[in-house]
């Protein structure tokens, strides 16, 4: 039953993707409220799914890779709904929806929804660590999306070839302000996530901790580079994409390793 | 009741011919002289059109005579092809005109204001009755809808407005931008004025001729910078408008904020390689022109979408007033004002 909710949610996000693709192809892209409502509706179904799964498990639904991906997709949608309205909501939705479709589509199609044979006991610190880290990943994902938008806009301005989407993208300086804020929020939450990981009571796997600190250092370097004006906005936008790819790979690694060792 | 439109536009005749019509004519005089029950005269640089309602059919020549009556030149020289649209085609034509689909620059914004002004003028004089009132109110609604739901008015189509548009795409609000105008030519002045109209408050002018720089600075409400001091200004400005054959500014990569350079000098002041620098966006006169052409092409792509909106409104409008208006069997008639008829009118 709960998977049906997820399918409906994915269809909502897919509708936003298809709508945008059709309009872009026709050269008549208009950032109307359709994307925002499609994402908001998808978010409601995501929340319903996570709620049902949480009640079923008796804890935060982060016990396998499938749930981790859905939680991440939920974080992305939640932050978009919170942040999007400040930065041309529908357009950011047009860029957010494909990422959510990819995450949820993969989670639904891949055989990764492996239930634990025994009920996993609740561990508040572990649940806090996992959930806050995933919300941080959501902020990094949005920074990555804003980075893509920045690079698209920048490229058009540099080459002097303006597509119809150019007129719907936010100004470069506004986009960069959004990237910077999202990076700071993501970094603060990620730091909190790492610190809380030390209180879970579980033995800390060195490789995972090392990789997590590597991602933390990468984002710290981006923010410091920007703060000291060593990095141009374009480089920061590109690094946001690289950083999120690294973070996503790490997330996969952590969850996969945890599943291999039957750890929640 | 007949609803019709008779006119000349940039599609059919040149400006020299258009300007010979409608001098001194008013909606009121057309009502009085041609025997219409309602009339409205829309006279712009692109068109001279009369929208009218009459109980019986009024010929194109009669309306043309009203438009021609005050010219001093010998009317025998003119035989312009007036177009005539009746009933549904008239409604469609007005909706297209108000939506700027029939304009020389598709999607331009002036026509709507001109149509409103023409309507207001005719209404004040009592030449507009219930039919034209409903027709024009609907036309204004259609025009607004077309502009909102399509990209017909998207993008700038002149060099000055393209520059301002691009500046907004880079910086967002221009009120915090510092602008340096280097060279006080006509295009620089126009671009500077356009930037000021969009909120720029910190504008500095530098020119080889101090007098001209001071004059322009005073005209646009900016500050004056001595010509030998402008390179130092480059460090703090956001937008540079250059139109003087000076040496290339010494620019480093801008890592803190973007720099938008508008090089409208011929030959160009700024090396094209500057555009490859991080954070620097260089547009010369050709690239500004190219963006303007892209905008125009984009607007033309939107015509089909706008036509769909208009068609829906035409059907709805014609249905709603069909009881009061009986369309004439002939919908479009391209008429010409013959020399003989002109002579007859003189007699």
């Amino acid at each position: 039953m709960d998977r049906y909710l997820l399918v409906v949610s994915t269809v909502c996000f897919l509708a936003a993707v298809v709508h945008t693709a059709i309009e872009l192809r026709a050269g008549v892209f208009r950032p109307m409220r359709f994307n925002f409502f499609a994402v908001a509706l998808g978010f409601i179904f995501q929340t319903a799914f996570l709620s049902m799964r949480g009640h079923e498990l008796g804890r935060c639904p982060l016990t396998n890779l499938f749930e981790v991906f859905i939680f991440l997709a939920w974080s992305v949608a939640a932050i978009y709904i919170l942040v999007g309205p400040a930065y041309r909501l529908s357009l950011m939705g047009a860029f957010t929806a494909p990422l959510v479709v990819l995450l949820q589509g993969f989670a639904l199609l891949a055989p990764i929804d492996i239930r634990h044979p025994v009920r996993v006991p609740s561990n508040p610190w572990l649940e806090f660590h996992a959930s806050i880290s995933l919300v941080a990943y959501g902020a990094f994902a949005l920074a990555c999306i804003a980075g893509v938008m920045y690079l698209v806009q920048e490229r058009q301005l540099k080459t002097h070839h303006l597509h119809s989407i150019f007129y719907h993208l936010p100004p470069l300086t506004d986009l960069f302000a959004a990237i910077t804020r999202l990076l700071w929020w993501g970094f603060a939450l990620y730091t909190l996530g790492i610190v809380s990981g030390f209180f879970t009571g579980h033995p800390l796997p060195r490789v995972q901790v090392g990789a997590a600190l590597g991602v933390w250092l990468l984002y710290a370097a981006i923010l410091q580079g920007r703060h000291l004006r060593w990095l141009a906005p374009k480089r920061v936008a590109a690094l946001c994409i690289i950083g999120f790819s690294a973070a996503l790979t790490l997330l996969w690694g952590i969850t996969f390793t945890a599943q291999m060792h039957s750890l929640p | 009741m007949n609803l019709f439109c008779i006119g000349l536009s940039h599609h059919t005749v040149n400006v020299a011919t258009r300007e010979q019509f409608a001098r001194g004519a008013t909606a009121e005089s057309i009502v009085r002289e041609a025997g219409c029950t309602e009339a409205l005269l829309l006279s712009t640089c692109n068109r001279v059109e009369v929208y009218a309602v009459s109980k019986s059919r009024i010929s194109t020549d009669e309306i043309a005579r009203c438009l021609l009556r005050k010219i001093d030149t010998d009317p025998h020289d003119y035989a312009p092809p007036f177009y005539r649209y009746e009933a549904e085609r008239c409604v469609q034509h007005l909706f297209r005109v108000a939506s700027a689909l029939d304009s020389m620059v598709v999607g331009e914004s002036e026509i709507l204001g001109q149509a409103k002004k023409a309507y207001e003028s005719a209404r004040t004089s009592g030449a507009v009755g219930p039919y034209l009132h409903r027709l024009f109110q609907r036309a204004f609604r259609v025009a607004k809808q077309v502009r909102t739901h399509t990209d017909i008015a998207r993008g700038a189509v002149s060099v000055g407005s393209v520059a301002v548009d691009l500046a907004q795409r880079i910086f967002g609000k221009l009120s915090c931008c510092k602008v340096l105008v280097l060279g006080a030519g006509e295009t620089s002045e126009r671009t500077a004025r356009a930037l000021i109209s969009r909120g720029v408050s910190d504008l500095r002018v530098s020119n080889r001729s101090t007098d001209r720089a001071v004059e322009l600075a005073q005209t646009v409400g900016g500050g004056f910078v001595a010509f030998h001091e402008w390179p130092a200004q480059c460090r703090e400005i956001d937008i540079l408008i250059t139109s003087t054959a000076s040496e290339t500014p010494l620019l480093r990569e801008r890592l803190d904020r973007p720099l938008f350079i508008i090089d409208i000098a011929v030959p160009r002041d700024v090396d094209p390689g500057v555009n490859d620098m991080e954070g620097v966006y260089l547009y010369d006169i050709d690239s500004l022109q190219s963006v303007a052409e892209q905008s125009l092409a984009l607007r033309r792509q939107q015509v089909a979408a706008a036509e769909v909106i208009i068609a829906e409104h035409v059907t709805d409008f014609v249905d709603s007033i069909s009881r009061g208006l009986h369309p004439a069997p002939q919908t479009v008639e391209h008429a010409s004002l013959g020399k003989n008829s002109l002579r007859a009118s003189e007699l």
Side-chain angles (χ1 to χ4, degrees):
Chain A
M1 168 61 194
D2 57 355
R3 284 178 75 95
Y4 287 120
L5 288 170
L6 208 56
V7 171
V8 176
S9 162
T10 311
V11 168
C12 292
F13 287 106
L14 193 62
V17 175
V18 172
H19 179 257
T20 306
I22 289 171
E23 292 210 326
L24 281 179
R25 196 178 159 80
V28 292
F29 179 77
R30 302 198 62 72
M32 288 198 283
R33 293 184 177 272
F34 181 87
N35 282 342
F36 183 75
F37 286 122
V39 171
L41 198 62
F43 174 74
I44 291 168
F45 284 109
Q46 277 178 331
T47 310
F49 164 79
L50 288 171
S51 173
M52 281 182 76
R53 186 59 76 99
H55 278 292
E56 191 185 321
L57 295 171
R59 51 163 290 159
C60 187
L62 289 167
T63 59
N64 60 28
L65 194 58
F66 170 79
E67 289 164 7
V68 165
F69 267 61
I70 302 307
F71 198 91
L72 177 60
W74 178 84
S75 301
V76 171
I79 295 174
Y80 158 69
I81 289 167
L82 287 174
V83 176
Y87 304 102
R88 299 277 185 103
L89 49 93
S90 294
L91 194 72
M92 204 161 196
F95 283 80
T96 305
L99 178 65
V100 176
V101 168
L102 275 177
L103 288 169
Q104 289 192 177
F106 175 78
L108 280 167
L109 295 174
I112 53 174
D113 189 10
I114 301 158
R115 304 291 182 101
H116 285 269
V118 287
R119 194 180 173 97
V120 180
S122 178
N123 179 336
W125 274 110
L126 185 61
E127 288 172 41
F128 177 76
H129 157 74
S131 57
I132 206 76
S133 300
L134 282 175
V135 175
Y137 272 69
F140 289 148
L142 261 288
C144 166
I145 287 164
V148 172
M149 290 165 79
Y150 186 96
L151 293 177
V152 168
Q153 180 85 316
E154 214 265 350
R155 170 98 185 136
Q156 294 195 62
L157 278 165
K158 277 283 187 193
T159 57
H160 307 160
H161 290 295
L162 312 182
H163 192 264
S164 73
I165 197 172
F166 174 81
Y167 298 102
H168 302 291
L169 283 164
L172 281 185
T173 44
D174 290 2
L175 266 175
F176 191 66
I179 290 173
T180 312
R181 272 177 226 166
L182 286 163
L183 280 179
W184 276 113
W185 273 106
F187 185 71
L189 293 170
Y190 195 61
T191 307
L192 201 61
I194 287 180
V195 172
S196 61
F198 290 98
F199 297 95
T200 56
H202 284 288
L204 297 170
R206 282 185 186 176
V207 179
Q208 287 178 11
V209 172
L213 285 174
V215 170
W216 185 88
L217 278 173
L218 175 64
Y219 277 105
I222 297 171
L223 286 166
Q224 183 66 5
R226 184 55 209 160
H227 184 67
L228 297 173
R229 302 283 188 270
W230 290 344
L231 291 174
K234 186 182 167 186
R235 300 268 163 89
V236 174
L239 282 170
C240 281
I241 299 166
I242 295 168
F244 182 64
S245 308
L248 209 58
T249 311
L250 170 69
L251 181 69
W252 175 293
I254 287 174
T255 321
F256 187 73
T257 317
Q259 245 177 282
M260 290 289 284
H261 292 86
S262 296
L263 283 172
Chain B
M1 232 16 122
N2 292 299
L3 169 68
F4 60 95
C5 161
I6 290 168
L8 296 166
S9 76
H10 63 99
H11 291 303
T12 54
V13 290
N14 59 22
V15 66
T17 309
R18 289 201 304 275
E19 68 189 9
Q20 299 302 327
F21 289 87
R23 284 181 176 181
T26 61
E28 193 187 3
S29 67
I30 294 165
V31 168
R32 197 173 53 242
E33 291 171 24
C36 311
T37 49
E38 296 178 35
L40 188 148
L41 175 65
L42 178 61
S43 177
T44 72
C45 51
N46 280 341
R47 66 190 64 250
V48 176
E49 287 178 343
V50 172
Y51 293 86
V53 178
S54 64
K55 284 178 183 162
S56 56
R57 193 175 193 280
I58 295 173
S59 73
T60 303
D61 286 359
E62 275 180 83
I63 298 291
R65 269 188 221 108
C66 296
L67 294 173
L68 257 174
R69 69 191 174 91
K70 290 203 174 173
I71 66 165
D72 310 323
T73 332
D74 183 359
H76 298 109
D77 296 341
Y78 300 100
F82 276 86
Y83 47 79
R84 181 182 183 114
Y85 299 106
E86 300 207 17
E88 193 174 328
R89 288 297 301 271
C90 171
V91 175
Q92 185 195 33
H93 178 70
L94 175 62
F95 290 179
R96 292 188 84 254
V97 168
S99 307
L101 263 62
D102 200 55
S103 297
M104 194 177 276
V105 178
V106 174
E108 51 100 359
S109 56
E110 282 180 21
I111 184 63
L112 186 57
Q114 289 165 332
K116 282 181 177 173
K117 206 172 164 185
Y119 166 78
E120 203 50 44
S121 166
R123 193 186 64 82
T124 312
S125 68
V128 164
Y131 288 109
L132 287 186
H133 168 75
R134 287 175 67 182
L135 176 64
F136 273 79
Q137 290 305 319
R138 176 62 79 94
F140 302 148
R141 239 175 72 198
V142 173
K144 197 176 168 191
Q145 193 178 336
V146 165
R147 293 176 77 81
T148 312
H149 293 276
T150 70
D151 277 342
I152 197 84
R154 189 65 71 174
V157 291
S158 70
V159 168
S161 49
V162 164
V164 175
D165 218 19
L166 289 169
Q168 285 187 312
R169 307 316 308 168
I170 296 169
F171 300 103
K173 287 179 186 168
L174 298 182
S175 52
C176 303
C177 289
K178 297 184 177 84
V179 180
L180 174 63
V181 180
L182 192 59
E186 198 183 322
T187 316
S188 299
E189 185 178 337
R190 274 206 303 270
T191 312
R193 280 182 188 282
L195 285 166
I196 285 171
S197 72
R198 303 279 183 100
V200 167
S201 55
D202 188 343
L203 189 136
R204 305 147 196 202
V205 183
S206 187
N207 192 43
R208 278 204 181 86
S209 156
T210 307
D211 293 347
R212 175 68 189 127
V214 171
E215 187 191 333
L216 178 58
Q218 281 173 349
T219 313
V220 297
F224 162 72
V225 173
F227 195 66
H228 65 276
E229 286 176 5
W230 72 260
Q233 297 275 324
C234 277
R235 293 187 199 113
E236 52 184 272
I237 54 154
D238 301 298
I239 302 170
L240 171 66
I241 305 168
T242 171
S243 62
T244 177
S246 71
E247 290 176 16
T248 304
L250 190 63
L251 294 167
R252 291 193 306 117
E253 288 188 330
R254 289 279 289 251
L255 300 185
D256 53 344
R257 62 190 195 282
L259 173 64
F260 179 34
I261 305 175
I262 305 159
D263 183 2
I264 43 185
V266 180
R268 290 172 295 178
D269 283 345
V270 184
D271 189 311
V274 167
N275 191 49
D276 297 332
M277 289 180 174
E278 288 276 7
V280 179
Y281 304 95
L282 169 64
Y283 280 74
D284 59 26
I285 196 77
D286 278 357
S287 45
L288 289 171
Q289 196 61 49
S290 152
V291 171
E293 280 161 17
Q294 288 172 49
S295 298
L296 258 181
L298 184 68
R299 286 182 180 197
R300 287 193 196 106
Q301 281 178 12
Q302 305 300 306
V303 169
E307 296 280 17
V308 172
I309 294 172
I310 288 172
E312 285 169 10
H313 277 278
V314 169
T315 310
D316 183 56
F317 182 80
V318 170
D319 285 350
S320 71
I321 61 162
S322 56
R323 285 180 203 159
L325 287 174
H326 302 294
Q330 185 187 20
T331 52
V332 187
E333 173 195 327
H334 283 276
S336 63
L337 191 61
K339 289 182 179 178
N340 291 338
S341 56
L342 273 172
R343 194 170 290 129
S345 73
E346 279 185 321
L347 290 170

